[in-house]
Amino acid sequence: PQTPRDVGKGFEVTRLIDGQMSSERPFQWSERWLLMQSSAWARRQQHAILTRLTRAEAELARLRVKKGERADAVQERVAILLKRHDVAAWLEVSVTETASVQRRRGRSGRPSATSPVVEVTTYQVAWSVQRNEVALADALTLAGWRIYVTNSTPEEVSLVQATALYREEWTVEHGFHRWKGGQLPALPLFLHIEWRIRGLMLLLLIALQVLTLLEWQARRSLAAEQATIAGLVPGNPKMATAHPTAERLLAMFTSLHLLLQQVGNQRVGQVLESLTPLQQRILHLLQLPATLYRFQATLESFAE
Protein backbone atom coordinates (compact mmCIF):
# COMPACT_ATOMS: atom_id res chain seq x y z
CA PRO A 1 0.00 0.00 0.00
CA GLN A 2 1.12 3.51 -0.74
CA THR A 3 2.15 5.69 2.18
CA PRO A 4 -0.16 8.71 2.58
CA ARG A 5 1.56 12.02 1.98
CA ASP A 6 0.67 15.52 3.00
CA VAL A 7 -0.52 17.51 -0.03
CA GLY A 8 -2.32 20.36 1.73
CA LYS A 9 -5.18 21.17 4.04
CA GLY A 10 -8.86 21.98 3.80
CA PHE A 11 -12.30 22.12 5.32
CA GLU A 12 -15.89 21.99 4.13
CA VAL A 13 -19.05 24.05 4.50
CA THR A 14 -22.60 22.81 3.90
CA ARG A 15 -24.97 25.26 2.24
CA LEU A 16 -28.69 25.07 1.58
CA ILE A 17 -29.47 26.44 -1.90
CA ASP A 18 -32.89 27.78 -2.91
CA GLY A 19 -34.09 27.41 -6.49
CA GLN A 20 -37.22 27.73 -8.56
CA MET A 21 -38.54 25.54 -11.35
CA SER A 22 -40.14 26.90 -14.51
CA SER A 23 -43.50 26.08 -12.93
CA GLU A 24 -42.61 28.63 -10.21
CA ARG A 25 -42.49 25.86 -7.62
CA PRO A 26 -39.63 26.55 -5.20
CA PHE A 27 -37.28 23.79 -4.15
CA GLN A 28 -34.08 23.39 -2.14
CA TRP A 29 -31.00 21.24 -2.24
CA SER A 30 -27.91 20.85 -0.10
CA GLU A 31 -24.35 21.40 -1.38
CA ARG A 32 -20.99 20.70 0.23
CA TRP A 33 -18.40 23.37 -0.50
CA LEU A 34 -14.95 21.83 -0.17
CA LEU A 35 -12.22 24.41 0.40
CA MET A 36 -8.75 22.96 -0.16
CA GLN A 37 -5.26 24.41 -0.25
CA SER A 38 -2.55 22.63 -2.21
CA SER A 39 0.83 23.13 -0.51
CA ALA A 40 2.77 22.88 -3.79
CA TRP A 41 0.47 25.30 -5.63
CA ALA A 42 0.57 27.70 -2.68
CA ARG A 43 4.37 27.76 -2.79
CA ARG A 44 4.35 28.40 -6.54
CA GLN A 45 1.84 31.24 -6.22
CA GLN A 46 3.70 32.81 -3.30
CA HIS A 47 6.99 32.60 -5.20
CA ALA A 48 5.37 34.22 -8.24
CA ILE A 49 3.95 37.08 -6.15
CA LEU A 50 7.27 37.83 -4.45
CA THR A 51 9.15 37.59 -7.75
CA ARG A 52 6.82 40.09 -9.42
CA LEU A 53 7.16 42.40 -6.43
CA THR A 54 10.95 42.29 -6.56
CA ARG A 55 11.02 42.98 -10.28
CA ALA A 56 8.58 45.88 -9.96
CA GLU A 57 10.58 47.44 -7.12
CA ALA A 58 13.81 47.11 -9.11
CA GLU A 59 12.21 48.77 -12.13
CA LEU A 60 10.85 51.58 -9.95
CA ALA A 61 14.35 52.14 -8.59
CA ARG A 62 15.62 52.58 -12.15
CA LEU A 63 12.83 54.98 -13.10
CA ARG A 64 14.02 58.47 -14.03
CA VAL A 65 12.10 61.70 -14.51
CA LYS A 66 12.20 63.05 -18.04
CA LYS A 67 13.00 66.68 -18.73
CA GLY A 68 9.95 68.82 -18.07
CA GLU A 69 7.87 65.88 -16.83
CA ARG A 70 5.21 66.63 -14.22
CA ALA A 71 3.90 64.49 -11.37
CA ASP A 72 0.75 63.35 -13.22
CA ALA A 73 2.84 61.99 -16.11
CA VAL A 74 5.14 60.15 -13.70
CA GLN A 75 2.13 58.78 -11.84
CA GLU A 76 0.74 57.47 -15.12
CA ARG A 77 4.03 55.72 -15.93
CA VAL A 78 4.11 54.21 -12.46
CA ALA A 79 0.53 52.93 -12.84
CA ILE A 80 1.41 51.26 -16.15
CA LEU A 81 4.44 49.62 -14.53
CA LEU A 82 2.41 48.29 -11.60
CA LYS A 83 -0.26 46.96 -13.94
CA ARG A 84 2.30 45.23 -16.13
CA HIS A 85 3.74 43.38 -13.13
CA ASP A 86 0.27 42.91 -11.56
CA VAL A 87 1.38 44.24 -8.16
CA ALA A 88 -0.83 47.31 -7.78
CA ALA A 89 -2.57 45.76 -4.76
CA TRP A 90 0.68 45.26 -2.84
CA LEU A 91 2.82 48.30 -3.73
CA GLU A 92 1.98 51.84 -2.67
CA VAL A 93 3.80 54.49 -4.71
CA SER A 94 3.49 58.10 -3.58
CA VAL A 95 4.49 60.70 -6.19
CA THR A 96 5.15 64.24 -4.93
CA GLU A 97 5.89 67.44 -6.78
CA THR A 98 7.76 70.45 -5.42
CA ALA A 99 7.65 73.80 -7.22
CA SER A 100 10.38 76.40 -6.92
CA VAL A 101 10.16 79.94 -8.33
CA GLN A 102 13.22 81.85 -9.50
CA ARG A 103 13.39 85.48 -10.65
CA ARG A 104 15.44 86.06 -13.77
CA ARG A 105 16.12 88.93 -16.13
CA GLY A 106 13.89 88.95 -19.15
CA ARG A 107 16.69 89.93 -21.54
CA SER A 108 20.42 89.57 -21.85
CA GLY A 109 22.89 92.37 -21.40
CA ARG A 110 23.72 94.75 -18.61
CA PRO A 111 20.87 95.06 -16.10
CA SER A 112 19.33 98.44 -15.41
CA ALA A 113 16.60 99.79 -13.27
CA THR A 114 14.10 99.31 -16.06
CA SER A 115 15.21 95.81 -17.06
CA PRO A 116 12.23 93.39 -17.04
CA VAL A 117 12.20 90.57 -14.49
CA VAL A 118 10.35 87.29 -15.07
CA GLU A 119 9.55 84.47 -12.71
CA VAL A 120 10.52 80.94 -13.81
CA THR A 121 8.88 77.96 -12.08
CA THR A 122 10.66 74.61 -11.99
CA TYR A 123 9.27 71.37 -10.65
CA GLN A 124 11.01 68.59 -8.78
CA VAL A 125 9.22 65.23 -8.91
CA ALA A 126 10.02 62.47 -6.42
CA TRP A 127 8.34 59.28 -5.31
CA SER A 128 8.50 56.76 -2.52
CA VAL A 129 7.68 53.04 -2.68
CA GLN A 130 6.27 51.04 0.19
CA ARG A 131 4.82 47.56 0.39
CA ASN A 132 1.29 47.12 1.64
CA GLU A 133 2.22 44.44 4.16
CA VAL A 134 -1.38 43.72 5.20
CA ALA A 135 -2.62 43.12 1.63
CA LEU A 136 0.54 41.16 0.82
CA ALA A 137 0.12 38.92 3.86
CA ASP A 138 -3.51 38.26 2.89
CA ALA A 139 -2.49 37.33 -0.68
CA LEU A 140 0.22 34.97 0.54
CA THR A 141 -2.20 33.38 2.99
CA LEU A 142 -4.90 32.85 0.34
CA ALA A 143 -2.47 31.36 -2.17
CA GLY A 144 -3.20 27.80 -3.26
CA TRP A 145 -6.86 27.66 -2.20
CA ARG A 146 -9.55 26.12 -4.40
CA ILE A 147 -13.29 25.59 -3.94
CA TYR A 148 -15.05 22.43 -5.13
CA VAL A 149 -18.77 21.79 -4.89
CA THR A 150 -20.52 18.43 -4.60
CA ASN A 151 -23.90 17.10 -3.56
CA SER A 152 -22.42 13.78 -2.40
CA THR A 153 -22.74 13.01 1.27
CA PRO A 154 -19.65 12.77 3.52
CA GLU A 155 -20.30 9.02 3.78
CA GLU A 156 -20.08 8.69 -0.02
CA VAL A 157 -17.10 11.00 -0.60
CA SER A 158 -15.06 12.40 2.25
CA LEU A 159 -12.93 15.52 2.01
CA VAL A 160 -9.73 13.44 1.65
CA GLN A 161 -11.32 11.22 -1.00
CA ALA A 162 -12.54 14.24 -2.96
CA THR A 163 -9.00 15.64 -2.97
CA ALA A 164 -7.60 12.36 -4.28
CA LEU A 165 -10.28 12.12 -6.97
CA TYR A 166 -9.62 15.64 -8.18
CA ARG A 167 -5.86 15.15 -8.32
CA GLU A 168 -6.33 12.02 -10.44
CA GLU A 169 -8.84 13.55 -12.83
CA TRP A 170 -8.29 13.60 -16.57
CA THR A 171 -8.88 17.06 -18.01
CA VAL A 172 -9.53 17.04 -21.74
CA GLU A 173 -8.72 20.74 -22.08
CA HIS A 174 -5.04 20.17 -21.25
CA GLY A 175 -4.29 19.29 -24.88
CA PHE A 176 -6.29 22.06 -26.51
CA HIS A 177 -3.45 24.59 -26.17
CA ARG A 178 -1.81 22.82 -29.10
CA TRP A 179 -4.69 24.04 -31.28
CA LYS A 180 -4.21 27.62 -30.11
CA GLY A 181 -0.67 28.07 -31.36
CA GLY A 182 1.29 24.95 -30.55
CA GLN A 183 2.36 22.20 -32.92
CA LEU A 184 -1.21 21.73 -34.23
CA PRO A 185 -2.55 25.27 -34.67
CA ALA A 186 -6.12 25.49 -35.94
CA LEU A 187 -5.32 28.49 -38.12
CA PRO A 188 -8.09 30.34 -39.99
CA LEU A 189 -7.97 28.72 -43.44
CA PHE A 190 -11.17 30.45 -44.62
CA LEU A 191 -13.03 27.19 -45.11
CA HIS A 192 -16.72 27.75 -45.82
CA ILE A 193 -18.01 24.24 -46.56
CA GLU A 194 -19.10 22.52 -43.37
CA TRP A 195 -17.78 19.05 -44.22
CA ARG A 196 -14.34 20.50 -44.99
CA ILE A 197 -14.25 22.28 -41.63
CA ARG A 198 -15.30 19.09 -39.87
CA GLY A 199 -12.71 17.10 -41.81
CA LEU A 200 -9.91 19.49 -40.87
CA MET A 201 -10.82 19.41 -37.19
CA LEU A 202 -11.09 15.63 -37.32
CA LEU A 203 -7.53 15.37 -38.68
CA LEU A 204 -6.29 17.78 -36.02
CA LEU A 205 -8.12 15.76 -33.35
CA ILE A 206 -6.48 12.53 -34.53
CA ALA A 207 -3.07 14.20 -34.48
CA LEU A 208 -3.81 15.53 -30.99
CA GLN A 209 -4.72 11.99 -29.91
CA VAL A 210 -1.33 10.77 -31.15
CA LEU A 211 0.62 13.46 -29.26
CA THR A 212 -1.41 12.97 -26.10
CA LEU A 213 -1.03 9.18 -26.25
CA LEU A 214 2.75 9.37 -26.73
CA GLU A 215 3.09 11.85 -23.88
CA TRP A 216 0.88 9.79 -21.56
CA GLN A 217 2.75 6.56 -22.29
CA ALA A 218 6.19 8.12 -21.74
CA ARG A 219 5.17 9.68 -18.41
CA ARG A 220 3.50 6.46 -17.33
CA SER A 221 6.66 4.45 -18.07
CA LEU A 222 8.84 6.93 -16.16
CA ALA A 223 6.47 6.83 -13.19
CA ALA A 224 6.58 3.03 -13.16
CA GLU A 225 10.38 3.10 -13.20
CA GLN A 226 10.50 6.03 -10.75
CA ALA A 227 13.02 7.61 -13.10
CA THR A 228 13.59 10.75 -15.14
CA ILE A 229 14.91 11.44 -18.61
CA ALA A 230 17.52 14.05 -19.56
CA GLY A 231 18.79 15.47 -22.84
CA LEU A 232 15.50 16.78 -24.18
CA VAL A 233 16.14 20.49 -23.61
CA PRO A 234 18.39 22.18 -26.19
CA GLY A 235 21.36 23.87 -24.55
CA ASN A 236 20.77 22.10 -21.23
CA PRO A 237 21.47 18.38 -21.73
CA LYS A 238 21.68 17.67 -17.99
CA MET A 239 18.17 18.93 -17.22
CA ALA A 240 16.04 15.91 -16.25
CA THR A 241 12.26 15.63 -16.05
CA ALA A 242 9.66 13.01 -15.24
CA HIS A 243 7.00 14.79 -17.32
CA PRO A 244 8.36 15.13 -20.87
CA THR A 245 6.15 16.57 -23.58
CA ALA A 246 5.44 14.77 -26.83
CA GLU A 247 7.00 17.63 -28.79
CA ARG A 248 10.30 17.29 -26.91
CA LEU A 249 10.35 13.52 -27.44
CA LEU A 250 9.61 13.69 -31.17
CA ALA A 251 12.17 16.48 -31.68
CA MET A 252 14.91 13.97 -30.86
CA PHE A 253 14.12 12.08 -34.10
CA THR A 254 14.15 15.00 -36.55
CA SER A 255 17.61 14.15 -37.95
CA LEU A 256 16.74 10.59 -38.95
CA HIS A 257 16.03 9.33 -42.48
CA LEU A 258 13.61 6.49 -43.19
CA LEU A 259 14.03 4.39 -46.33
CA LEU A 260 10.83 2.68 -47.54
CA GLN A 261 11.01 -0.29 -49.89
CA GLN A 262 8.31 -2.38 -51.50
CA VAL A 263 9.09 -6.06 -50.93
CA GLY A 264 6.41 -8.16 -52.53
CA ASN A 265 3.11 -7.18 -50.98
CA GLN A 266 4.74 -5.51 -48.01
CA ARG A 267 6.34 -2.12 -47.53
CA VAL A 268 9.46 -2.31 -45.39
CA GLY A 269 11.02 0.67 -43.64
CA GLN A 270 14.58 1.00 -42.45
CA VAL A 271 16.26 3.82 -40.54
CA LEU A 272 19.54 4.77 -42.22
CA GLU A 273 21.27 6.17 -39.11
CA SER A 274 22.13 4.34 -35.91
CA LEU A 275 19.95 5.32 -32.97
CA THR A 276 21.59 7.17 -30.10
CA PRO A 277 21.18 5.94 -26.50
CA LEU A 278 18.68 8.76 -25.88
CA GLN A 279 16.57 7.75 -28.89
CA GLN A 280 16.63 4.12 -27.80
CA ARG A 281 15.60 5.20 -24.31
CA ILE A 282 12.64 7.16 -25.73
CA LEU A 283 11.48 4.19 -27.84
CA HIS A 284 11.66 1.99 -24.75
CA LEU A 285 9.50 4.46 -22.80
CA LEU A 286 6.93 4.80 -25.57
CA GLN A 287 6.38 1.01 -25.86
CA LEU A 288 5.26 1.47 -29.45
CA PRO A 289 3.42 -1.86 -29.96
CA ALA A 290 1.06 -1.18 -27.05
CA THR A 291 0.77 2.49 -27.95
CA LEU A 292 -0.07 1.71 -31.58
CA TYR A 293 -2.71 -0.76 -30.41
CA ARG A 294 -4.35 1.96 -28.31
CA PHE A 295 -4.18 4.37 -31.25
CA GLN A 296 -5.83 1.78 -33.50
CA ALA A 297 -8.64 1.47 -30.98
CA THR A 298 -9.01 5.25 -31.05
CA LEU A 299 -9.28 5.29 -34.84
CA GLU A 300 -11.91 2.57 -34.73
CA SER A 301 -13.94 4.62 -32.28
CA PHE A 302 -13.78 7.58 -34.70
CA ALA A 303 -14.91 5.35 -37.57
CA GLU A 304 -17.94 4.25 -35.59
Side-chain angles (χ1 to χ4, degrees):
Q2 294 184 352
T3 304
R5 59 191 181 95
D6 183 10
V7 297
K9 59 184 178 180
F11 62 95
E12 64 176 85
V13 177
T14 303
R15 298 194 60 185
L16 190 63
I17 309 299
D18 296 321
Q20 191 169 1
M21 299 288 289
S22 57
S23 60
E24 298 184 356
R25 185 180 62 184
F27 66 99
Q28 293 180 331
W29 71 93
S30 178
E31 290 181 351
R32 294 169 59 208
W33 287 30
L34 311 178
L35 293 88
M36 306 176 187
Q37 185 189 44
S38 168
S39 301
W41 192 35
R43 287 192 296 269
R44 290 196 298 269
Q45 284 191 322
Q46 292 168 356
H47 176 72
I49 290 174
L50 296 177
T51 300
R52 296 202 311 270
L53 270 175
T54 303
R55 291 176 179 174
E57 290 171 337
E59 193 167 341
L60 285 171
R62 296 191 302 266
L63 192 65
R64 295 294 179 267
V65 180
K66 301 177 182 179
K67 184 177 180 180
E69 194 174 23
R70 299 289 300 274
D72 53 349
V74 175
Q75 185 70 56
E76 184 177 352
R77 291 169 56 195
V78 169
I80 294 174
L81 187 152
L82 297 179
K83 183 178 180 180
R84 184 171 68 250
H85 291 281
D86 193 18
V87 294
W90 310 309
L91 276 185
E92 297 177 351
V93 182
S94 177
V95 181
T96 59
E97 182 180 82
T98 304
S100 60
V101 180
Q102 295 179 343
R103 298 170 60 87
R104 297 179 181 177
R105 289 180 296 156
R107 64 186 181 186
S108 59
R110 190 171 210 173
S112 63
T114 59
S115 297
V117 178
V118 296
E119 293 183 349
V120 178
T121 304
T122 58
Y123 299 93
Q124 297 290 332
V125 179
W127 60 89
S128 60
V129 182
Q130 184 178 3
R131 290 188 178 187
N132 188 336
E133 297 295 345
V134 176
L136 179 59
D138 291 342
L140 296 178
T141 302
L142 295 176
W145 284 96
R146 295 186 178 98
I147 301 178
Y148 310 123
V149 180
T150 179
N151 59 355
S152 301
T153 64
E155 291 74 21
E156 294 173 335
V157 180
S158 66
L159 180 65
V160 175
Q161 291 172 334
T163 304
L165 290 173
Y166 179 81
R167 293 175 71 88
E168 295 177 0
E169 73 169 341
W170 177 70
T171 306
V172 66
E173 292 86 356
H174 285 175
F176 288 170
H177 67 89
R178 292 185 169 102
W179 286 349
K180 299 178 181 179
Q183 298 298 319
L184 302 171
L187 300 176
L189 300 179
F190 304 102
L191 299 179
H192 301 285
I193 302 177
E194 181 180 352
W195 65 267
R196 287 187 175 181
I197 299 174
R198 294 175 60 185
L200 172 63
M201 295 309 300
L202 178 60
L203 291 176
L204 290 176
L205 181 58
I206 293 175
L208 180 61
Q209 288 277 351
V210 174
L211 292 179
T212 304
L213 187 58
L214 293 176
E215 188 172 282
W216 174 81
Q217 181 61 55
R219 296 182 178 185
R220 182 188 184 189
S221 299
L222 289 171
E225 298 177 5
Q226 296 183 355
T228 59
I229 184 171
L232 302 179
V233 181
N236 193 356
K238 295 184 179 181
M239 181 177 179
T241 179
H243 301 86
T245 63
E247 289 82 358
R248 296 278 191 184
L249 295 173
L250 295 178
M252 298 297 103
F253 297 89
T254 54
S255 59
L256 297 181
H257 297 82
L258 179 65
L259 177 62
L260 296 177
Q261 293 178 318
Q262 189 73 28
V263 181
N265 296 329
Q266 295 182 346
R267 181 172 294 180
V268 180
Q270 181 180 1
V271 179
L272 300 182
E273 295 84 3
S274 299
L275 296 181
T276 64
L278 176 59
Q279 292 168 341
Q280 295 177 6
R281 170 69 170 152
I282 294 174
L283 292 178
H284 172 72
L285 293 176
L286 293 180
Q287 300 180 11
L288 288 181
T291 304
L292 291 176
Y293 176 78
R294 295 189 185 94
F295 179 59
Q296 182 180 0
T298 302
L299 291 180
E300 292 175 355
S301 66
F302 279 128
E304 295 176 358

